[in-house]
Amino acid sequence: MLFSSLTFLYWFLPSVLILYFLLPDRFKNFVLLAASLLFYAWGEPRFIVLMLVTILSAYVHGRLIEATRGRLAERLWLLSSITIALAPLLYFKYANFLIDNLSVLTGTNLPVLKLSLPIGISFYTFQALSYTVDVYRGRIQAQRKLHLLALYITFFPQLIAGPIVRYTDIETALSRRSHSLENFSSGFTRFSLGLAKKVLLANELGEFVQVFRSSGQKSVAFYWLYAVAFSLQIYLDFSGYSDMAIGLGRIFGFDFPENFRYPFEARSITEFWRRWHISLGSWFRDYVYIPLGGNRVSGSRLALNLLTVWTLTGLWHGAEWQFVLWGLFFGLLLLFEKLLPVTGIAAPLRHAGVLVLVLLSFVIFNAGSLPELWLDVRSLFGVTALPWLSAETLYYTRSYGAVLLLGAAASTSGPRRLYEYLQQKTSPIHLPELVRVLIVPALLLLVTAYLLDGAYNPFLYFRF
Amino acid sequence: MQSARWTKITAVLFSVYLVGMAGWAALRAPDAISTSERRPLATRPVLTWKDFLSGNFAEDFETYALDQFPLRDPLRSFKAVTQFYLLQRLDKQGIYLADGHVAKLEYPLNSSSVQNAAQKLEAVLARLNLPQDSAVYAAVIPDKNFFLAAANGYPALDYAEMQALFRTELASAHHIDLFDCLSLEDYYNGDPHWRQERLSSVVERLSLRMGFADRLSTDYTESLLGPFYGAYHGQAALPLPSESLHFLTSPLLTQATAYHFENHSTRPLYDLDKAAGLDAYDLFLSGASALVTIENPAASTDRELLLFRDSFGSSLAPLLLEAYAKITLIDLRYIHPDLLVEQIRTANADVLFLYSSLLLNNSLSLR
């Protein structure tokens, strides 16, 4: 089920809220667990078995690791847990990638498998992995209650598009949490704003991207606008989903970590990745980069570690060579920044440089194939026969100009700072609160209107 | 930190909104059709284990939730107003407003589609095995974008190239240019179709080129039906005024009937029952039909016309009836040419291929 669907918004969510808040505390976790399983099973019931196996494996391995603490078996159980958790992900996500490349390498035509990727598998696998590794490291105690561990992994707000919540983030809240009108109100606002970012801005920008892709009159300017539009689309879509998850979590008494902090305001690539998909970056840092030695290694080993981590980060996003290149692109940039810090360059220049590199990265990310990637990058820099400008470019720039500007504004901290400023300046009359009371339902109605009218509403995370 | 009072107000308001709308959506009586979108609406699917496991139930339920949501039409308008007027979008899924008309972008020129159409029409001609004295004509009807798009800064297809290509590929026909016989006023504001009462220039051009000018003399009486909401009117979802649907009558047209081969039924030329349905333009010859004949009992000639057409032909054909003993209207989107040979007579027949530029640019549906 998608958050940006009427089934979720007006059938699932109200029903869950009513049940959750009407039933006594001892039933609340069961309501959330049942709701989460239904949420997952709604579109693809057959894959729920896979998720249940992952949960059961994490539960049993957590207990076994704890029971064999200090012995060789402890390591073997950890290895076994990692193998069992990763096996479905490797099979469903990477088997055909491997087969395709083997075919190319051997000059044969190996048959590909008929596989569809289970929704959210990359997210819940990483959550399950972090749980058993943290038990092994002694950071957390293994959960005795299976339903609580199941709730941690399946909890519907973060199940299919993150953030990748660590067990430590919600360990206490799983068994003991408080609810308040303030949490409900601010959580609902956060959810609604996230939904509006996704439906009113990201989907509209997605239409622009589609228009660009099908255009027969491309130009260099059109390529740059496409780069801007797609970068904004993926940010608003993904951060919108994170906002929705964080808001929903807050309504139910959970405090999820932030996943985005205005990444387009970054002044270095290192800073960009401290602001973009924070939960994924910190996961790779804690469970791959640091175990490999982190920064405290020789220069060549550091380079190897960085490139390994970023190749894996690219592959996490999709089993295609363009994702590998995307990851390596960032790996090289980060390595470059470590070797030659950019602090000496004026801040506006650094900011502009980061924006150009990030736009380029998302052009790589969104290419359908390696030849398309090569064509896109060359076209972006005018190394093709394309004109600099075309009539279509001008038409669609005019048509989507307001959406592009709104999207750009929504990806900065400007709206939040304006809200805080108005809160201070108009505190006696509570202008921002008044506006919020009016705007949130109006936005929800507008979102509903957009969904009703058969607009473009993709789910970008199928391949993640 | 917001005050406790505001916290309560927002929490209550949000809860009331969410639960209220959800309750309304769940309890309201479902609508059968959407008149603005001209389609039946989905009904609540029945939950079966098989459908649930296959994911079909989830898909059908979302369609139902979308179709049966309360205030569907006002909400569609809310979106359209936001897009057109607040966000200044120039078009909404191709629909745009210009010079008081609603139109849909048709762009760019699909040369292979035009070629495909022409080649299929040539193939039809070959199968019909026409007698020597048969004359074959072809004409393209410009869609509204010809008058609106380029003039208002919208992308427009190259109509000159389309016509040239069609002429080249359909070389067996004498081509008649209708582009200069029409203007924007000859089309409905909210619909793609032309207005029957404004086709005198088209009829005159055809009669002169096809040689039946001397067989036309009737003066028509103009009647109208309303309110008429065109196809683009519904797609735009904007609060735009309705129009009246005009049609021309005469004693001959009142007496004449249309025989529909698909269901072996005889209907009046102007089908008022159909006009009361989802698409009022179906008034003309009952709308989409594979094979229809209309006969002129008072004909002064034994010439017949084979009119290969799309929906534009339905409103034109009655105006040509006086000049022929019989007109056979063939819509190749709904009938395979192989079946035609058994159904139609070609002796004493003129052939006219009359297609809108919209169809030529999207000709995959032609058989």
Side-chain angles (χ1 to χ4, degrees), chain A residues 303-353:
Chain A
L304 183 68
N305 288 353
L306 264 177
L307 295 180
T308 304
V309 166
W310 285 94
T311 303
L312 291 174
T313 304
L315 274 171
W316 182 88
H317 286 84
E320 303 282 349
W321 281 110
Q322 57 270 30
F323 291 114
V324 176
L325 287 178
W326 179 77
L328 281 172
F329 177 74
F330 274 117
L332 288 170
L333 288 174
L334 289 165
L335 187 62
F336 181 79
E337 280 188 357
K338 278 195 190 301
L339 297 175
L340 293 167
V342 290
T343 44
I345 304 169
L349 275 179
R350 273 188 284 145
H351 188 201

Side-chain angles (χ1 to χ4, degrees), chain A residues 284 399 463:
Chain A
F284 272 107
S399 193
R463 63 188 181 186

Side-chain angles (χ1 to χ4, degrees), chain A residues 7 10 185 204 392 395, chain B residues 2 10 17 62 89 91 107:
Chain A
T7 307
Y10 293 108
S185 174
E204 292 289 285
E392 243 184 59
Y395 174 78
Chain B
Q2 56 183 308
T10 50
Y17 170 84
E62 178 64 12
R89 280 279 296 275
D91 70 88
Y107 168 84

Side-chain angles (χ1 to χ4, degrees), chain B residues 217-245:
Chain B
S217 63
T218 302
D219 287 327
Y220 296 100
T221 307
E222 192 172 326
S223 302
L224 52 92
L225 290 173
F228 170 49
Y229 298 98
Y232 292 157
H233 184 284
Q235 287 178 46
L238 287 168
L240 301 169
S242 66
E243 298 171 82
S244 296
L245 186 65

Side-chain angles (χ1 to χ4, degrees), chain B residues 175-240:
Chain B
H175 287 263
I176 304 170
D177 187 0
L178 298 182
F179 279 57
D180 60 340
C181 300
L182 289 159
S183 66
L184 184 60
E185 291 69 37
D186 300 329
Y187 296 78
Y188 284 100
N189 290 0
D191 198 74
H193 291 108
W194 57 13
R195 308 172 69 107
Q196 191 195 39
E197 80 280 10
R198 294 186 59 97
L199 296 183
S200 55
S201 302
V202 170
V203 173
E204 187 183 348
R205 173 69 54 85
L206 291 173
S207 69
L208 290 171
R209 294 293 310 277
M210 294 170 69
F212 60 80
D214 58 333
R215 305 202 293 268
L216 293 176
S217 63
T218 302
D219 287 327
Y220 296 100
T221 307
E222 192 172 326
S223 302
L224 52 92
L225 290 173
F228 170 49
Y229 298 98
Y232 292 157
H233 184 284
Q235 287 178 46
L238 287 168
L240 301 169

